[in-house]
Amino acid sequence: MRVILQNIAELVQVEDRVRPWVAGREMSELKTIKNAFLYIREELIEDFGPMQDLTRLNFETDDLVMEIDCAGKLVFPCYCDSHTHLVFPKTREQEFVDRIRGLSYEEISKNGGGILNSAHHLQEMSEDELYTRALERIEDIIATGTGAVEIKSGYGLTPESELKMLRVIDRLKKVCPIMIKSTFLGAHAVPAEYKNNRQEYINILIHEMLPLIATEELADYIDVFCDKGFFTPEETEQILMAGIKYGLRAKVHANELDYSGGIQAGVKYNALSVDHLEHICDEEINSLLSGETMPTILPGAAFFLKMRPAPARKLIDAGLPVALASDFNPGSSPTGNMNLMLSLACLQNGMLPEEAINAATINSAYAMGISESYGSIARGKVANVFITKNLDNYQQVPYFFGTNPVESIILNGQLITDLAL
Ligand code: NIG
Ligand code: FE
């Protein structure tokens, strides 16, 4: 099957040479082509360019070609959402109300709410029900332009339940048309029964959970919530090191609640990304400058928990790259809408639309280890793109905050006509 998108008002995020990420000043540059075509062959992007170059394409007569007129519309590479917890049991709106009434996220966690609340419900829920709920969420995020997503475990916190979560993610990988990466986050919280013996829980994680996960090949990455009240940098290093021995590259939840040392621990173990980053000073920036770890901001969580925004401007001005992800989860960011993340990144974190779009495509692709094949319009990359409704320019995507600019979606070169998976 071949698909040609024609008369595209603006084709956004095109690359002639594939880059692993964009950093610093380069983040404010976004290459686009006005009045463009995009030619897709099977599941890959074969060619693109200005409309007047369309004649260079030669089709054999029996080729089946679908032509889509995109006049007045923009075409984007699908978003890569490099940080989510979208496999979860129940929603937690009671905590939302409790926070409106004045309780803090940390107080709610200390009282057995938060992650431990989700863990309790997850242990009770069947694998099939978890799977069905997650599938609906994936349909929702595809509808708002996401074409690749990373999903974490971490609401299990027992060998049995962590494996249950990872098996759900594995089933999703097999049926969903979007690219999925899975991350083992057994170190999301210390279960209440190990409160006074944290090392025992870490031992279970390292010596029981990890070998099982590795045998069944259920995870691509390993993550630790390194923050005040959760895991220390020393514990984080111990867990990351164990994961690396099983071939799992590190990712770290870092510096959301405090200057946790999580960024330095992540860089030391060559983490693919360190995520959250509301608490950053020069030491963290210097650490990031010394490595290849992608700083990732999650403005949905900072907004929903009314925390200080991560200083994305400072990171970019220091020459660093920044990635953007939704953190879709029931406690701190109950949305996977990446268009909203673009708006928040601009409004809350001081990023320009160009920087936010780079952060949610090419840089977030790097943060989930897939930037060679996803995250931009480039020849040979997977044809995961969305066509917008009528829009005048790409700045209007973050500008019309809270709306969905996506009109149609192409995944693996196929136009999605029915979102029900
Ligand atoms: O990324 N910060 C840690 N974990 C999640 C929150 C999970 C929850 O509250 O359920 C996050 O924000
Ligand atoms: Fe998270």
Side-chain angles (χ1 to χ4, degrees):
M1 180 68 180
R2 298 167 189 223
V3 182
I4 304 182
L5 311 191
Q6 302 191 44
N7 308 312
I8 304 167
E10 195 163 8
L11 180 62
V12 179
Q13 185 63 304
V14 297
E15 275 186 326
D16 285 316
R17 184 183 52 83
V18 173
R19 303 160 297 174
W21 69 67
V22 286
R25 195 167 306 189
E26 227 193 311
M27 280 198 73
S28 61
E29 292 161 20
L30 184 66
K31 201 166 166 218
T32 71
I33 302 175
K34 293 204 168 128
N35 192 24
F37 77 89
L38 175 66
Y39 173 38
I40 295 166
R41 186 171 175 182
E42 305 302 339
E43 74 276 16
L44 301 182
I45 295 171
E46 172 97 355
D47 206 356
F48 59 85
M51 271 308 280
Q52 66 264 27
D53 290 358
L54 189 58
T55 45
R56 75 174 173 228
L57 301 178
N58 281 322
F59 299 108
E60 293 134 35
T61 44
D62 57 350
D63 279 341
L64 187 59
V65 182
M66 178 193 274
E67 292 181 16
I68 303 177
D69 182 28
C70 299
K73 301 166 199 294
L74 318 184
V75 173
F76 277 69
C78 282
Y79 299 121
C80 298
D81 190 351
S82 61
H83 181 140
T84 80
H85 308 250
L86 69 72
V87 173
F88 59 83
K90 284 181 148 185
T91 49
R92 305 207 316 250
E93 55 278 5
Q94 187 52 49
E95 294 172 17
F96 169 65
V97 177
D98 289 345
R99 283 191 296 102
I100 295 168
R101 291 188 195 281
L103 280 185
S104 72
Y105 183 70
E106 281 160 293
E107 281 162 344
I108 290 169
S109 302
K110 277 204 191 107
N111 298 338
I115 296 165
L116 295 183
N117 179 5
S118 282
H120 169 72
H121 290 296
L122 189 131
Q123 283 156 14
E124 316 268 281
M125 191 171 275
S126 73
E127 188 182 306
D128 282 345
E129 193 168 354
L130 275 171
Y131 170 78
T132 309
R133 291 185 183 205
L135 204 56
E136 284 168 8
R137 294 179 196 126
I138 290 190
E139 290 165 3
D140 287 348
I141 65 170
I142 291 175
T144 52
T146 295
V149 66
E150 181 258 19
I151 312 173
K152 299 173 197 293
S153 70
Y155 291 128
L157 309 183
T158 64
E160 196 192 3
S161 295
E162 281 295 305
L163 257 82
K164 179 162 73 178
M165 284 191 82
L166 290 168
R167 287 198 190 108
V168 169
I169 304 172
D170 203 47
R171 280 171 70 183
L172 295 168
K173 279 187 182 182
K174 292 187 174 113
V175 304
C176 293
I178 60 174
M179 154 57 89
I180 298 178
K181 289 284 184 187
S182 67
T183 299
F184 170 50
L185 177 59
H188 200 187
V190 178
E193 57 273 36
Y194 296 100
K195 209 166 96 190
N196 299 317
N197 192 356
R198 306 168 58 83
Q199 190 57 43
E200 197 180 328
Y201 179 65
I202 295 171
N203 289 344
I204 293 172
L205 196 155
I206 293 176
H207 300 297
E208 289 185 39
M209 300 188 201
L210 262 177
L212 289 169
I213 291 163
T215 313
E216 291 192 39
E217 294 183 18
L218 287 175
D220 301 298
Y221 307 122
I222 184 163
D223 195 342
V224 179
F225 187 9
C226 180
D227 227 318
K228 193 169 103 196
F230 290 86
F231 290 85
T232 66
E234 294 72 29
E235 292 167 342
T236 302
E237 291 197 18
Q238 197 187 343
I239 297 163
L240 294 185
M241 208 159 26
I244 289 165
K245 282 204 189 113
Y246 285 101
L248 306 183
R249 183 122 181 233
K251 284 169 83 75
V252 183
H253 279 72
N255 298 45
E256 176 184 11
L257 310 170
D258 203 356
Y259 295 91
S260 67
I263 292 175
Q264 292 87 330
V267 172
K268 181 167 168 193
Y269 287 89
N270 191 28
L272 202 43
S273 72
V274 286
D275 305 27
H276 275 294
L277 318 183
E278 283 76 10
H279 294 78
I280 293 259
C281 62
D282 291 349
E283 204 182 320
E284 282 78 17
I285 289 184
N286 289 334
S287 165
L288 286 164
L289 283 168
S290 73
E292 296 193 331
T293 295
M294 178 62 67
T296 301
I297 63 162
L298 310 171
F303 176 72
F304 195 70
L305 297 183
K306 295 207 235 172
M307 288 182 313
R308 60 163 105 177
R313 242 324 6 104
K314 217 167 139 180
L315 295 170
I316 295 170
D317 292 345
L320 285 163
V322 167
L324 184 60
S326 74
D327 198 15
F328 192 178
N329 78 75
S332 64
S333 188
T335 175
N337 184 338
M338 287 294 284
N339 302 291
L340 181 58
M341 297 308 130
L342 291 186
S343 303
L344 292 175
C346 295
L347 293 166
Q348 307 282 92
N349 304 86
M351 290 169 78
L352 296 167
E354 293 79 5
E355 292 171 331
I357 293 167
N358 275 316
T361 54
I362 185 78
N363 284 0
S364 51
Y366 177 87
M368 56 185 290
I370 58 168
S371 62
E372 277 180 17
S373 316
Y374 296 85
S376 68
I377 305 288
R379 292 172 189 90
K381 281 202 177 185
V382 175
N384 276 15
V385 304
F386 66 81
I387 304 166
T388 66
K389 298 167 184 161
N390 282 341
L391 288 180
D392 297 328
N393 50 57
Y394 60 74
Q395 286 93 339
Q396 287 186 340
V397 172
Y399 165 80
F400 284 123
F401 81 98
T403 61
N404 183 14
V406 177
E407 184 170 85
S408 14
I409 304 130
I410 293 175
L411 293 173
N412 308 306
Q414 307 254 358
L415 182 68
I416 305 292
T417 46
D418 180 4
L419 267 175
L421 295 174

